[in-house]
Amino acid sequence: MKRKHHELEVWQTAIELVEEIYAITSGFPKHERFGLVSQLRRCSVSVPSNIAEGSARLTAREFLHFLGMARGSLSEMETQLIIASRLGYLDTMPTERIERVFALLGGLINHQRKRIDL
């Protein structure tokens, strides 16, 4: 069954980011399984989940609220990736995809704000 959020490029790109985070964290040390691995995976899953939940809500204002939560989770994930990099757990960061999701979220947030102001 296809839902409205399945058509959103931001949701699709965020799903790809989840897959990338899972792949990256599979190489983290075992002692980080309940630390950074768990946190990064939770944050990454939260981004498309909030987009999906918001798009299923009844108003543009509600959707905007969940888009803000998705952006917060994305920022949290980026911070945790920086920490993982500084601890030597990462060779490269998924910077391009993170930036893409930030940009797409920003565009959708601006669109929803305009809908609210009508």
Side-chain angles (χ1 to χ4, degrees):
M1 189 170 257
K2 204 135 187 157
R3 304 277 182 228
K4 183 170 67 171
H5 61 274
H6 293 177
E7 303 297 324
L8 296 173
E9 184 180 352
V10 66
W11 180 84
Q12 295 166 5
T13 306
I15 290 289
E16 292 167 359
L17 182 57
V18 171
E19 294 170 335
E20 195 169 351
I21 294 300
Y22 269 71
I24 288 169
T25 56
S26 68
F28 278 27
K30 291 207 183 295
H31 68 270
E32 284 294 348
R33 194 167 112 205
F34 298 109
L36 278 173
V37 171
S38 177
Q39 284 291 102
L40 277 162
R41 289 179 175 186
R42 183 190 56 76
C43 288
S44 70
V45 168
S46 183
V47 176
S49 297
N50 277 302
I51 294 166
E53 184 171 355
S55 73
R57 296 296 176 136
L58 299 176
T59 68
R61 188 173 306 280
E62 288 177 300
F63 191 14
L64 181 61
H65 171 76
F66 282 92
L67 292 175
M69 290 175 37
R71 189 166 58 181
S73 293
L74 187 60
S75 292
E76 184 180 354
M77 182 188 60
E78 182 184 43
T79 297
Q80 292 165 4
L81 285 168
I82 291 167
I83 292 166
S85 179
R86 288 185 176 206
L87 293 174
Y89 301 155
L90 295 180
D91 293 328
T92 60
M93 295 248 304
T95 306
E96 188 175 314
R97 191 156 288 140
I98 290 170
E99 290 302 320
R100 183 73 182 139
V101 175
F102 266 119
L104 290 167
L105 271 173
L108 192 51
I109 286 168
N110 288 337
H111 176 74
Q112 292 305 311
R113 282 182 176 150
K114 288 177 186 169
R115 286 185 66 204
I116 292 169
D117 291 339
L118 293 179

